[in-house]
Amino acid sequence: MDEIVNTEIKNDTLKLPNKWFGILILLLAFLVSVCNINDPLFLIGVCLVLFLIWTSKKHPVNFRYFDLILLTIWLFSLFEVLFSMEIISSFIYFRMFTFAILFYFIIRSYVQDINVCKTLLLGCCIIIGLLCLIALASFFLFKNSIENIGFTNLYDFRYRYRPVGYLTNVWGALLLCFLGILSLTIIFHKKSKMTVFLLYTIFILVIFEIVVSFSRGVYLTFLFFLIGCICFIIFRKTRIIKKVYAIFILLLPLLIFCMLFKDDVICTLKFNETISQQRSISGRQDAISSSYNVFKESPIIGTGTQTFSMVINDMRYEDDNIEYTNFAPNSYMQLLTEQGIVGLIIWLFLFITLIFVIKRQDNPFSRFISRVIFFFLVVLFIKEATFPLFFNSSGCQIIVFMLVAILLNFATKSNNSFCFSHIVQNIILVFFPLCCISIIVFSSIYTNDEYHNTKAIISMGEKEYYEALKHVSKTHQRTPYLINRSIIHWEIFKNTKNTDHLFESKKYLKKAIRKNKHDKMLQFQLAMILKSENKLDSAKYILEYLTLKYPDNGLYNFAMFNMLYELGETDRALPYMVKLVELSPLIVGSSYWKYSIDSDSVISNKLKKNLHKNLDFIKQTMKTNNPIELAKFGYILFLFGEHKDAKIMLSEALTLMPNLAYPWLYLSQIENENKMFYLTKFLYLNNNLHTNRDVELFLQSGKFEEMIENRKLFRYDYNTKFENWYKSSTVMMYDKYISTILSN
């Protein structure tokens, strides 16, 4: 086996200056991708294109059928941009995928010498080690902040740990990709003890980060990796003592780290015991069902890349009780939904072709390397079944394509490889820069649009509405900018009563609705405009539709109550406010309630009577294991003076899910003797205040009262949705002026 690993199949080593120049270009691309560094004008991509043209002239690619299918997928992703439901999101994915394709073909062309490959892999491992050191420091800062506030369980607060700016699930999945590069590099550098020691140190850092990710999917995939490594060691032709030693150094750091965080690791391994785990599994199942329904509507080519959360929004994320996420339940459902049957078939052909390449290896070295890389690809496929990273991360795509390119470069030539004529190769080489130029042009347009959109948002915040209109008018008429134009025109109408702006607002909003039928907030906004036009029947029809289809949406219930109340239909309005109080009890203590409900004794008495009827039902829910419901109903009981039962429900909610912020605040209002204890935890979770001194200064500054006065009336995720769907920001600032919106 040692002889196989150290066999070199090529001797045409590149000249040193060219070698280092190319490696630096590739390492820069790797760093940009793995660190998720924004390259809005695709400048690094331009460097890759130029380098690909240069290196392919000196080192032509030995094309295989795999390369042709990969180019077909790339062209299909371009086709998806043209026919996507949201062109900006699909374009950004195409730009990311193009970057990975360029990286892949550079390795296919440039890294045909084993010494270049070894140097490149070692450089990637050093970058991985530095990232893990940064993540390590970030973890201990996170751990100390949790312990300073008085919490001991890290698992419940893992969402606050953001290594290198990543979500923990994303970072954990990326760590599994790092294992493939590290293991392959250790194999290539096996004879250098100092290099192996360095790589083993980085390997330990990666294992530590995997353990503290506290992710079920990452743990499951890592277990499969460990089993594969142990099997490789056991069946390796060497002495038993060496096998035992290899397994020992593989498992020792893992066992140590698991013992250090024993309780959190055990909690993670329970898989379906905690409330958050149960909600996660249930949410995945519901998302799979929703995505299947969307797939049936567009089965051939899908809805377009990066549109998953948008197209299932009206089936899931209009419910206040369901937390919004931009991720699909797994990559396979995302692929089927976004790229349809055509995309699934092409990707399947790609995988089958790779299997044929591996099976036909007759050279011991290429057969060994192919099987090692294929094993890591299978590990990543398992990971994609638990968390979708490949179609959402440039870093993951870069790593996968790097491993595949190395596999193909050192695979023995067979009848599935061929050479294009010079004319065809030149056409391919010309097509890359032409496509790159198109990406740069579109990126420049998008960047310019975002510049003016940002200026418009700033102007709106300063109430310079005509200045905001001037900036947003310079953007192209794509969905996010149509929405913002509509909102700005509507805001000008509310301040000037100039109906021309109301007409413009309605015109742009209808254009946006035609482009995106899944964004229900646009229909809600249309109802508000119709209400301003005094077309009350039409506005009421839309709101009735929204509240009927999405009964657990607080905003729609609020608007429906407000409209019916203004029309004098008090009895019809009452159920909507009762529902709103159940969904968002904070409405009871708001200024809206004080000036609109309490000031009207008739509606106030009727509401309180209806709410008191529900108190018995609410007390029965004390037996529920849903911490969200316990927290909401506990606050309702507190508002009606049932402090004893309220305390029981709130305490139970925090026992089940201690990372909920507002129950700590409610308990501080019930128990004066422990007020600071509860407030400290609330302000850490809600305001990220880490020390008692920070809490004291915050309370003394008067900002606490201001924050309570201006807190959200109910859950509202639209700003996050807008950014994920449209890759832009909205001027729709409901948090600041929602009550004035609904009163017009």
Side-chain angles (χ1 to χ4, degrees), residues 77-120:
S77 65
L78 174 59
F79 172 83
E80 287 277 282
V81 174
L82 301 177
F83 293 93
S84 172
M85 295 186 67
E86 183 45 53
I87 188 171
I88 296 178
S89 294
S90 295
F91 164 74
I92 289 177
Y93 171 81
F94 175 71
R95 187 173 67 184
M96 177 182 75
F97 191 58
T98 300
F99 191 89
I101 293 294
L102 290 170
F103 188 86
Y104 166 83
F105 277 107
I106 288 175
I107 293 181
R108 292 281 286 115
S109 172
Y110 185 74
V111 188
Q112 297 184 26
D113 176 79
I114 197 167
N115 291 320
V116 177
C117 182
K118 290 166 67 175
T119 306
L120 174 63

Coordinates of all heavy atoms in Angstrom, one line a residue, residues 77-120:
S77 N -28.0 25.2 -15.9 CA -28.2 26.2 -14.9 C -28.3 27.6 -15.5 O -29.0 28.5 -15.0 CB -27.0 26.2 -13.9 OG -25.8 26.6 -14.5
L78 N -27.6 27.9 -16.7 CA -27.8 29.1 -17.4 C -29.2 29.2 -17.9 O -29.9 30.3 -17.8 CB -26.8 29.2 -18.5 CG -27.0 30.4 -19.5 CD1 -26.8 31.7 -18.7 CD2 -25.9 30.3 -20.6
F79 N -29.7 28.1 -18.5 CA -31.1 28.0 -18.9 C -32.1 28.3 -17.8 O -33.1 29.0 -18.0 CB -31.4 26.6 -19.5 CG -32.8 26.4 -19.9 CD1 -33.3 26.8 -21.1 CD2 -33.6 25.7 -19.0 CE1 -34.7 26.6 -21.4 CE2 -35.0 25.4 -19.4 CZ -35.5 25.9 -20.6
E80 N -31.8 27.8 -16.6 CA -32.7 28.0 -15.4 C -32.7 29.5 -15.1 O -33.8 30.0 -14.6 CB -32.1 27.2 -14.2 CG -32.3 25.7 -14.3 CD -33.7 25.3 -13.8 OE1 -33.9 25.3 -12.6 OE2 -34.5 25.1 -14.7
V81 N -31.6 30.2 -15.3 CA -31.7 31.7 -15.0 C -32.7 32.4 -15.9 O -33.5 33.2 -15.4 CB -30.3 32.3 -15.2 CG1 -30.3 33.8 -15.1 CG2 -29.3 31.7 -14.2
L82 N -32.7 32.0 -17.2 CA -33.6 32.7 -18.1 C -35.1 32.4 -17.9 O -35.9 33.2 -18.2 CB -33.2 32.2 -19.5 CG -31.7 32.5 -20.0 CD1 -31.5 31.9 -21.3 CD2 -31.4 34.0 -19.9
F83 N -35.4 31.2 -17.3 CA -36.8 30.9 -17.1 C -37.1 30.7 -15.6 O -38.1 30.1 -15.3 CB -37.1 29.5 -17.8 CG -37.0 29.7 -19.3 CD1 -35.8 29.4 -20.0 CD2 -38.0 30.1 -20.1 CE1 -35.7 29.5 -21.3 CE2 -38.0 30.2 -21.4 CZ -36.8 29.9 -22.1
S84 N -36.3 31.3 -14.7 CA -36.6 31.2 -13.3 C -37.7 32.1 -12.9 O -38.0 33.1 -13.5 CB -35.3 31.5 -12.5 OG -35.6 31.6 -11.1
M85 N -38.4 31.7 -11.7 CA -39.4 32.5 -11.2 C -38.8 33.8 -10.6 O -39.5 34.8 -10.4 CB -40.2 31.7 -10.1 CG -40.9 30.5 -10.6 SD -41.9 29.8 -9.3 CE -43.1 31.0 -9.0
E86 N -37.5 33.7 -10.2 CA -36.9 34.9 -9.6 C -35.4 35.0 -10.2 O -34.5 34.2 -9.7 CB -36.8 34.9 -8.1 CG -36.2 36.1 -7.5 CD -36.7 37.4 -8.1 OE1 -37.9 37.6 -8.2 OE2 -35.8 38.2 -8.5
I87 N -35.3 35.8 -11.2 CA -34.0 35.8 -12.0 C -32.8 36.2 -11.2 O -31.7 35.6 -11.4 CB -34.2 36.7 -13.2 CG1 -33.0 36.5 -14.2 CG2 -34.4 38.2 -12.8 CD1 -33.2 37.2 -15.5
I88 N -32.9 37.1 -10.2 CA -31.7 37.5 -9.5 C -31.1 36.4 -8.7 O -29.9 36.1 -8.7 CB -32.1 38.8 -8.6 CG1 -32.5 40.0 -9.5 CG2 -30.9 39.1 -7.8 CD1 -32.9 41.2 -8.7
S89 N -32.0 35.7 -7.9 CA -31.5 34.6 -7.1 C -30.9 33.5 -8.0 O -29.8 33.0 -7.6 CB -32.7 34.0 -6.3 OG -33.2 34.9 -5.4
S90 N -31.5 33.2 -9.1 CA -31.0 32.1 -10.0 C -29.7 32.6 -10.6 O -28.7 31.8 -10.8 CB -32.0 31.8 -11.0 OG -33.1 31.2 -10.5
F91 N -29.6 33.9 -10.9 CA -28.3 34.4 -11.5 C -27.2 34.3 -10.5 O -26.0 33.9 -10.9 CB -28.5 35.8 -12.0 CG -27.2 36.5 -12.2 CD1 -26.4 36.2 -13.3 CD2 -26.6 37.4 -11.3 CE1 -25.2 36.8 -13.5 CE2 -25.4 38.0 -11.5 CZ -24.7 37.7 -12.6
I92 N -27.4 34.6 -9.2 CA -26.4 34.5 -8.2 C -25.9 33.1 -8.0 O -24.7 32.8 -7.9 CB -26.9 35.2 -6.9 CG1 -27.0 36.7 -7.1 CG2 -25.9 34.9 -5.8 CD1 -27.5 37.4 -5.9
Y93 N -26.8 32.1 -8.1 CA -26.4 30.7 -8.1 C -25.6 30.4 -9.3 O -24.6 29.7 -9.2 CB -27.6 29.8 -8.0 CG -27.3 28.4 -8.2 CD1 -26.8 27.6 -7.1 CD2 -27.3 27.7 -9.4 CE1 -26.4 26.3 -7.3 CE2 -27.0 26.4 -9.6 CZ -26.5 25.7 -8.5 OH -26.1 24.4 -8.7
F94 N -26.0 30.8 -10.5 CA -25.2 30.5 -11.7 C -23.8 31.1 -11.6 O -22.9 30.5 -12.0 CB -26.0 31.1 -12.9 CG -25.2 31.0 -14.2 CD1 -25.1 29.7 -14.8 CD2 -24.6 32.1 -14.8 CE1 -24.3 29.6 -16.0 CE2 -23.9 32.0 -16.0 CZ -23.8 30.7 -16.6
R95 N -23.7 32.3 -11.1 CA -22.4 32.9 -10.9 C -21.5 32.1 -10.0 O -20.3 31.9 -10.2 CB -22.6 34.3 -10.3 CG -21.3 35.2 -10.2 CD -21.6 36.6 -9.9 NE -22.1 36.7 -8.5 CZ -22.5 37.8 -7.9 NH1 -22.5 38.9 -8.6 NH2 -23.0 37.9 -6.7
M96 N -22.1 31.6 -8.9 CA -21.4 30.7 -7.9 C -21.0 29.4 -8.6 O -19.9 29.0 -8.4 CB -22.3 30.5 -6.7 CG -21.7 29.5 -5.7 SD -22.8 29.2 -4.3 CE -24.0 28.1 -5.0
F97 N -21.9 28.8 -9.3 CA -21.6 27.6 -10.0 C -20.6 27.7 -11.1 O -19.7 26.8 -11.3 CB -22.9 27.0 -10.6 CG -22.9 25.6 -11.0 CD1 -22.5 24.6 -10.1 CD2 -23.1 25.2 -12.3 CE1 -22.4 23.2 -10.5 CE2 -23.1 23.9 -12.7 CZ -22.7 22.9 -11.9
T98 N -20.6 28.8 -11.8 CA -19.6 29.1 -12.8 C -18.2 29.2 -12.2 O -17.2 28.7 -12.8 CB -20.0 30.4 -13.6 OG1 -21.2 30.3 -14.2 CG2 -18.9 30.7 -14.6
F99 N -18.2 29.8 -11.0 CA -16.9 29.9 -10.3 C -16.3 28.5 -10.0 O -15.1 28.3 -10.2 CB -17.1 30.7 -9.0 CG -15.9 31.1 -8.3 CD1 -15.3 32.3 -8.6 CD2 -15.3 30.3 -7.4 CE1 -14.1 32.7 -8.0 CE2 -14.1 30.7 -6.7 CZ -13.5 31.9 -7.0
A100 N -17.2 27.6 -9.5 CA -16.8 26.3 -9.2 C -16.4 25.5 -10.5 O -15.4 24.7 -10.5 CB -17.9 25.5 -8.5
I101 N -17.1 25.7 -11.6 CA -16.8 25.0 -12.8 C -15.4 25.5 -13.4 O -14.6 24.7 -13.8 CB -17.8 25.3 -13.9 CG1 -19.2 24.7 -13.5 CG2 -17.4 24.8 -15.3 CD1 -19.1 23.1 -13.5
L102 N -15.1 26.8 -13.3 CA -13.8 27.3 -13.7 C -12.7 26.7 -12.9 O -11.7 26.3 -13.4 CB -13.8 28.8 -13.6 CG -14.7 29.6 -14.6 CD1 -14.8 31.1 -14.2 CD2 -14.1 29.4 -16.0
F103 N -12.9 26.6 -11.6 CA -12.0 26.1 -10.6 C -11.7 24.6 -11.0 O -10.5 24.1 -11.0 CB -12.5 26.2 -9.2 CG -11.5 25.8 -8.1 CD1 -10.7 26.7 -7.6 CD2 -11.6 24.5 -7.6 CE1 -9.8 26.3 -6.6 CE2 -10.7 24.1 -6.6 CZ -9.8 25.1 -6.1
Y104 N -12.8 23.9 -11.3 CA -12.6 22.5 -11.7 C -11.8 22.3 -12.9 O -10.9 21.4 -13.0 CB -14.1 21.9 -11.9 CG -14.1 20.5 -12.6 CD1 -13.9 19.4 -11.9 CD2 -14.3 20.4 -14.0 CE1 -13.9 18.1 -12.5 CE2 -14.3 19.2 -14.6 CZ -14.1 18.1 -13.9 OH -14.1 16.8 -14.5
F105 N -12.1 23.0 -14.0 CA -11.3 22.9 -15.2 C -9.9 23.3 -15.1 O -9.0 22.8 -15.8 CB -12.1 23.5 -16.4 CG -13.2 22.7 -17.0 CD1 -14.5 23.0 -16.7 CD2 -12.9 21.5 -17.7 CE1 -15.5 22.2 -17.2 CE2 -13.9 20.8 -18.2 CZ -15.2 21.1 -18.0
I106 N -9.6 24.3 -14.3 CA -8.2 24.7 -14.0 C -7.5 23.5 -13.4 O -6.3 23.2 -13.8 CB -8.1 26.0 -13.2 CG1 -8.6 27.2 -13.9 CG2 -6.7 26.2 -12.7 CD1 -8.7 28.4 -13.1
I107 N -8.1 22.9 -12.4 CA -7.4 21.7 -11.8 C -7.2 20.6 -12.9 O -6.2 19.9 -12.9 CB -8.2 21.2 -10.6 CG1 -8.1 22.3 -9.5 CG2 -7.6 19.9 -10.1 CD1 -8.8 21.9 -8.2
R108 N -8.2 20.4 -13.7 CA -8.1 19.4 -14.7 C -7.0 19.6 -15.7 O -6.4 18.7 -16.2 CB -9.5 19.3 -15.5 CG -10.6 18.7 -14.7 CD -10.6 17.2 -14.6 NE -11.0 16.6 -15.8 CZ -10.2 15.8 -16.5 NH1 -8.9 15.6 -16.2 NH2 -10.6 15.2 -17.7
S109 N -6.8 20.9 -15.9 CA -5.7 21.3 -16.9 C -4.4 21.4 -16.2 O -3.3 21.0 -16.7 CB -6.1 22.6 -17.6 OG -5.1 23.1 -18.4
Y110 N -4.4 22.1 -15.1 CA -3.1 22.6 -14.5 C -2.5 21.6 -13.5 O -1.3 21.4 -13.4 CB -3.4 23.9 -13.7 CG -2.1 24.5 -13.1 CD1 -1.2 25.2 -14.0 CD2 -1.9 24.5 -11.8 CE1 -0.1 25.8 -13.4 CE2 -0.8 25.1 -11.2 CZ 0.1 25.8 -12.1 OH 1.2 26.4 -11.5
V111 N -3.4 20.9 -12.7 CA -2.9 20.0 -11.7 C -2.8 18.5 -12.2 O -3.4 17.6 -11.7 CB -3.8 20.0 -10.4 CG1 -3.2 19.3 -9.3 CG2 -4.0 21.5 -10.1
Q112 N -1.9 18.4 -13.3 CA -1.7 17.0 -13.8 C -0.4 16.4 -13.4 O -0.1 15.3 -13.7 CB -1.7 17.1 -15.4 CG -3.1 17.6 -15.9 CD -3.1 17.5 -17.4 OE1 -2.4 16.8 -18.1 NE2 -4.0 18.4 -18.0
D113 N 0.3 17.2 -12.5 CA 1.5 16.7 -11.9 C 1.3 16.4 -10.4 O 0.7 17.3 -9.7 CB 2.6 17.7 -12.1 CG 3.9 17.3 -11.4 OD1 4.6 16.4 -12.0 OD2 4.2 17.8 -10.3
I114 N 1.8 15.3 -9.9 CA 1.5 15.0 -8.5 C 2.1 15.9 -7.5 O 1.5 16.2 -6.4 CB 1.9 13.5 -8.2 CG1 1.2 13.0 -7.0 CG2 3.4 13.4 -8.1 CD1 1.4 11.5 -6.8
N115 N 3.2 16.5 -7.9 CA 3.9 17.5 -6.9 C 3.0 18.8 -6.8 O 2.9 19.3 -5.7 CB 5.3 17.8 -7.4 CG 6.2 16.6 -7.3 OD1 6.2 15.9 -6.3 ND2 7.1 16.4 -8.3
V116 N 2.5 19.2 -7.9 CA 1.6 20.4 -7.9 C 0.4 20.1 -7.1 O -0.1 20.9 -6.3 CB 1.2 20.8 -9.3 CG1 0.2 21.9 -9.3 CG2 2.4 21.2 -10.2
C117 N -0.2 18.8 -7.2 CA -1.4 18.4 -6.5 C -1.1 18.4 -5.0 O -1.9 18.9 -4.2 CB -1.8 17.0 -7.0 SG -3.3 16.4 -6.1
K118 N 0.1 17.9 -4.6 CA 0.4 17.8 -3.2 C 0.6 19.2 -2.6 O 0.1 19.4 -1.5 CB 1.8 17.0 -3.0 CG 1.6 15.5 -3.3 CD 2.9 14.8 -3.5 CE 3.8 14.8 -2.2 NZ 5.0 14.0 -2.4
T119 N 1.2 20.1 -3.3 CA 1.4 21.5 -2.8 C 0.0 22.2 -2.7 O -0.2 22.9 -1.7 CB 2.3 22.3 -3.8 OG1 3.5 21.5 -4.0 CG2 2.6 23.6 -3.2
L120 N -0.8 22.0 -3.7 CA -2.1 22.6 -3.6 C -2.9 22.1 -2.4 O -3.5 22.9 -1.7 CB -2.9 22.4 -4.9 CG -4.3 22.8 -5.0 CD1 -4.4 24.4 -4.9 CD2 -5.0 22.4 -6.3

